[in-house]
Amino acid sequence: MKIGTKERFVTGTGLAIIALIAAMIWWTYSEVDDANRQRRVTTEIGHAVTELRLLTFEYDRHHNERARVQWTAVSDHVDQLIANARFRKPAQSKILDTLREKRAIGLRLFTEITAAELAGRADTPLDEAGQRHQAQLLSQLMVYQQENFADALRLTDLATQRIMDAEWRVMIAILAGLALIASIIVAASWFLRRGVLVPIAQLQQATRHVAAGNWNFVLDIRAKDEIGELSKNFGAMTQSLQASFAQVERSNQDLAALNRELEAFSYSVSHDLRGPLRSMDGFSLVLIEDYGDKLDEEGKDALQRIRAASQRMGNLIDDLLRLSQVTRAELNVTPVDLSAIARDIADALDREQPDRSTKWEIQPGLSVHADLALMRIAMQNLLQNAWKFTGRSGQPVIRVGALERDSKTIFFVADNGVGFDMAHAANLFGAFQRLHHVEDFPGTGIGLAIVQRIVRRHDGKIWAEAKEGEGATFFFTLKE
């Protein structure tokens, strides 16, 4: 069963039980209200019957018309109360029927008494026999009234007992409701623990094992809900990751072997190719110096071209070795003053070409945590690039600074040189990629690739913004 289905079932059951409890409490409270109403009615009947007895005593003492009229009025009120009374219990209905019968007898007796009294007044006074008969009638009336009062008390007692029973049922309903709610809470807690918390704890334990490198850990959750599916997916994920990491490990081993081969190749390039290149350059120079007078201009030009090509090849080998070293070099992170590095490189460039009047704008206080040697190489390449491409500018300006964006420090090297077309920016940092002809701006095309490798080794990013004829700006970030 899905967790959502279980949740809906538990919620529905809880709401149904709460509705049942509410119905039970409403019913028991209605019972209490009806019992209170019955007790008010029976109490009122008892008070009326008591008042009627007192009027009977008064009439027996005074035999006046006022007492008779009051007795008749109260008697009618008692009859009306009895007629309006409604009881559902058989015992109460039986007592009420008896009360009606005795009331009828009592009314008949009082009618006889008052009739004899009125007849005695109209004709002759009652004789001794008449007086005894009247006394007997009054005595019987008193007895019936006493029984009526007793019946009224019994009705009141039954109503009071019904109130007590109803109140007890209310308390039972409340206690039962609390017990049911407590059972629901216990059941929901048990379900939550067994169906959710325990599997989640197992998943948490599995993630700890996997994070520690135990890829063979088996997560055994057999539930048929979302957590069970998550467990299956987790197992499939760990197997897939295990296979992926095994492939990565094999790739790393292949890469390490390739790096060793690259190092061997670099060593071979450094030692085996430099000799022939030096020989080509040296012998070409000997030919120019010793036999230059025997060569025409075309021959001299050919020898100069051989020398230039061998020198470019030597520079290319140097840059390739430098790129390889940058990739393999171990980082030694320390605080680095970029402003000081930029100023040293700028002074060196000015000394190389004292006839150039380049304006340097280097922001003071530029500092990073990085490898000093690698950052010097990176700044050397960026500033040499700016120096080279501002060579034809009337008033060359090279700026080094930093700015803040999204709480990150972004360093930049900007110039007002020839710039480039941003459509070719994707190829800018590739090895041997050039956006200008070598005769116009000499170089090997590896400098920016070296800068990118250095920035990436510091977990940073590098990008450029430029416009043809208006200069270029290189931005880079480093891990803080």
Side-chain angles (χ1 to χ4, degrees):
M1 184 184 295
K2 299 294 185 181
I3 293 179
T5 304
K6 294 178 181 178
E7 182 271 334
R8 288 191 292 272
F9 173 75
V10 172
T11 302
T13 303
L15 292 176
I17 291 176
I18 291 173
L20 177 62
I21 294 170
M24 291 172 58
I25 294 175
W26 176 84
W27 176 75
T28 51
Y29 269 112
S30 65
E31 285 287 305
V32 172
D33 184 67
D34 187 59
N36 282 319
R37 181 188 59 78
Q38 289 182 0
R39 185 167 65 176
R40 286 194 298 271
V41 171
T42 56
T43 301
E44 194 172 355
I45 291 173
H47 290 163
V49 169
T50 300
E51 185 180 1
L52 191 61
R53 290 181 65 198
L54 294 175
L55 290 173
T56 302
F57 282 120
E58 183 178 353
Y59 183 80
D60 183 34
R61 290 179 59 188
H62 302 289
H63 297 280
N64 55 19
E65 183 66 16
R66 184 183 65 79
R68 186 187 68 78
V69 172
Q70 289 181 348
W71 194 97
T72 302
V74 173
S75 177
D76 292 340
H77 179 60
V78 172
D79 291 338
Q80 185 179 1
L81 290 174
I82 294 173
N84 293 333
R86 297 290 183 271
F87 298 103
R88 289 180 292 181
K89 298 294 184 180
Q92 292 174 317
S93 299
K94 184 176 180 181
I95 294 173
L96 194 62
D97 292 339
T98 303
L99 188 58
R100 289 193 187 96
E101 294 174 359
K102 293 178 180 178
R103 276 290 304 130
I105 296 173
L107 182 60
R108 180 176 57 79
L109 290 174
F110 187 76
T111 302
E112 290 182 10
I113 293 170
T114 54
E117 181 71 27
L118 292 174
R121 290 178 183 175
D123 298 329
T124 57
L126 293 174
D127 56 10
E128 185 178 351
Q131 290 178 358
R132 284 199 303 271
H133 180 66
Q134 189 178 28
Q136 289 176 355
L137 292 176
L138 280 171
S139 177
Q140 291 179 10
L141 179 59
M142 291 292 185
V143 171
Y144 279 114
Q145 287 180 342
Q146 179 64 31
E147 292 177 354
N148 288 340
F149 180 72
D151 290 337
L153 288 178
R154 290 171 60 197
L155 285 174
T156 302
D157 291 340
L158 289 175
T160 302
Q161 184 61 42
R162 187 182 174 198
I163 290 174
M164 295 174 63
D165 293 341
E167 290 176 345
W168 174 254
R169 284 195 294 272
V170 169
M171 185 176 68
I172 292 298
I174 293 174
L175 292 176
L178 292 176
L180 285 173
I181 292 174
S183 300
I184 293 174
I185 293 174
V186 171
S189 176
W190 177 82
F191 160 74
L192 182 65
R193 177 175 177 79
R194 180 177 179 274
V196 179
L197 296 181
V198 171
I200 288 178
Q202 293 175 341
L203 277 171
Q204 187 178 21
Q205 182 184 14
T207 56
R208 285 198 298 266
H209 278 275
V210 172
N214 183 11
W215 296 100
N216 296 320
F217 183 83
V218 178
L219 181 61
D220 186 18
I221 298 179
R222 302 179 182 179
K224 297 181 179 180
D225 53 15
E226 292 85 348
I227 296 180
E229 294 179 1
L230 180 62
S231 171
K232 294 178 182 178
N233 294 334
F234 182 85
M237 180 190 70
T238 55
Q239 292 178 0
S240 177
L241 286 175
Q242 186 175 9
S244 299
F245 278 115
Q247 180 64 36
V248 169
E249 181 64 25
R250 289 192 294 270
S251 299
N252 288 338
Q253 293 175 358
D254 295 340
L255 183 60
L258 185 61
N259 285 334
R260 288 192 295 271
E261 293 176 3
L262 181 60
E263 290 179 6
F265 174 75
S266 298
Y267 180 83
S268 175
V269 166
S270 175
H271 290 80
D272 298 341
L273 295 184
R274 285 182 184 276
L277 287 175
R278 284 194 296 267
S279 297
M280 290 171 59
D281 185 37
F283 283 119
S284 298
L285 179 62
V286 168
L287 288 174
I288 293 173
E289 291 177 348
D290 295 345
Y291 302 96
D293 55 343
K294 299 179 181 180
L295 297 173
D296 57 11
E297 293 299 323
E298 185 176 356
K300 293 178 181 180
D301 181 67
L303 288 175
Q304 291 291 352
R305 287 176 180 273
I306 292 173
R307 287 199 66 204
S310 62
Q311 290 172 1
R312 282 200 303 272
M313 179 63 74
N315 292 333
L316 181 59
I317 291 172
D318 291 338
D319 286 345
L320 282 173
L321 291 175
R322 192 176 296 113
L323 179 62
S324 175
Q325 291 168 358
V326 164
T327 303
R328 301 194 315 269
E330 183 178 352
L331 292 181
N332 182 21
V333 178
T334 60
V336 175
D337 188 348
L338 285 184
S339 299
I341 292 176
R343 175 54 59 191
D344 291 343
I345 296 172
D347 292 343
L349 291 173
D350 284 337
R351 287 193 298 269
E352 287 180 6
Q353 296 185 21
D355 54 328
R356 281 187 57 174
S357 60
T358 301
K359 182 180 180 181
W360 295 91
E361 296 180 0
I362 300 175
Q363 179 179 330
L366 299 178
S367 178
V368 295
H369 280 77
D371 185 284
L372 176 60
L374 293 182
M375 290 310 300
R376 183 175 291 277
I377 294 173
M379 293 300 293
Q380 180 81 33
N381 280 278
L382 289 174
L383 292 176
Q384 282 182 340
N385 244 28
W387 175 270
K388 177 171 60 176
F389 290 110
T390 56
R392 299 179 182 179
S393 300
Q395 295 179 340
V397 178
I398 300 175
R399 296 184 298 116
V400 179
L403 51 87
E404 295 290 330
R405 286 182 188 172
D406 300 330
S407 301
K408 289 186 177 180
T409 302
I410 300 176
F411 302 94
F412 65 86
V413 174
D415 64 71
N416 62 344
V418 296
F420 58 85
D421 187 355
M422 286 296 292
H424 305 293
N427 301 323
L428 191 62
F429 297 100
F432 310 111
Q433 297 292 329
R434 299 181 54 85
L435 303 184
H436 302 88
H437 199 273
V438 66
E439 278 75 16
D440 296 330
F441 298 98
T444 61
I446 297 179
L448 291 179
I450 292 175
V451 175
Q452 186 188 53
R453 295 280 182 92
I454 292 173
V455 171
R456 285 183 175 176
R457 292 214 57 195
H458 289 83
D459 296 328
K461 293 173 58 178
I462 184 169
W463 67 97
E465 296 178 5
K467 191 172 183 181
E468 286 187 298
E470 298 183 10
T473 303
F474 289 84
F475 300 92
F476 64 92
T477 63
L478 303 177
K479 183 178 180 181
E480 297 182 2

